[in-house]
C-alpha cells in the first residue's frame, strides 16, 4: 500500500508540473490560452489527490480534513476554470488556472 501511495504522489506531482509548466510556457507568448492538457492534468490532480487520501486513511496515517477540503475546492476550481478556458479561449481563465494551481501548491506545502 505504501508503494501505491508513492505512485499516487508522483502522478499528483506530474499533474501539477503539467499545469504550471504549461502556464509558464504560455506566458512567453503574446496571447496565452488554456491548453487542452490543462483540464486533463486537473482531473489527474483530482483523482490522484483522492487516491492519496484513501491510501493515507488505509495506512492509518493522519489526514487533515480541513486542508484536504481546501485542496479539493482549489482542484475543482482549477478543473472547471481550465475547462471553461479551453472552450471559450478567454485569458481570464488562463490566469485563473495558474493562480488556483499555485494556491493549491501553497496550501499543500505551507499548511501544517
Amino acid at each position: 500500500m505504501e508503494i501505491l501511495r508513492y505512485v499516487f504522489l508522483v502522478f499528483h506531482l506530474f499533474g501539477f508540473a503539467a499545469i504550471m509548466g504549461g502556464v509558464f510556457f504560455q506566458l512567453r507568448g503574446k496571447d496565452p490560452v488554456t491548453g487542452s492538457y490543462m483540464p486533463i492534468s486537473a482531473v489527474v490532480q483530482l483523482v490522484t489527490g483522492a487516491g492519496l487520501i484513501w491510501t493515507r486513511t488505509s495506512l492509518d496515517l493522519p489526514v487533515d480534513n480541513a486542508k484536504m477540503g481546501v485542496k479539493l475546492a482549489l482542484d475543482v476550481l482549477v478543473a472547471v476554470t481550465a475547462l471553461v478556458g479551453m472552450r471559450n479561449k478567454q485569458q481570464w481563465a488562463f490566469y485563473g488556472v495558474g493562480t488556483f494551481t499555485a494556491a493549491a501548491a501553497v496550501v499543500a506545502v505551507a499548511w501544517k
Side-chain angles (χ1 to χ4, degrees):
M1 188 66 82
E2 187 70 19
I3 292 172
L4 183 60
R5 186 171 73 89
Y6 284 119
V7 168
F8 281 135
L9 180 62
V10 166
F11 280 99
H12 196 69
L13 293 173
F14 284 166
F16 169 76
I19 294 172
M20 287 309 290
V23 167
F24 289 132
F25 181 77
Q26 288 282 336
L27 283 174
R28 298 179 338 154
K30 276 196 279 184
D31 258 348
V33 294
T34 305
S36 61
Y37 57 88
M38 288 184 179
I40 295 167
S41 299
V43 170
V44 167
Q45 290 281 94
L46 284 167
V47 170
T48 57
L52 283 167
I53 294 170
W54 172 70
T55 54
R56 288 187 68 84
T57 304
S58 297
L59 292 170
D60 292 327
L61 295 173
V63 176
D64 186 349
N65 291 327
K67 177 181 176 180
M68 294 304 109
V70 170
K71 287 266 300 158
L72 175 64
L74 286 169
D75 287 343
V76 168
L77 278 173
V78 169
V80 170
T81 308
L83 190 60
V84 168
M86 187 186 74
R87 291 189 179 197
N88 298 337
K89 302 291 184 201
Q90 295 180 355
Q91 282 191 341
W92 67 265
F94 170 79
Y95 291 113
V97 168
T99 302
F100 293 141
T101 303
V106 168
V107 168
V109 172
W111 190 323
K112 295 289 178 185

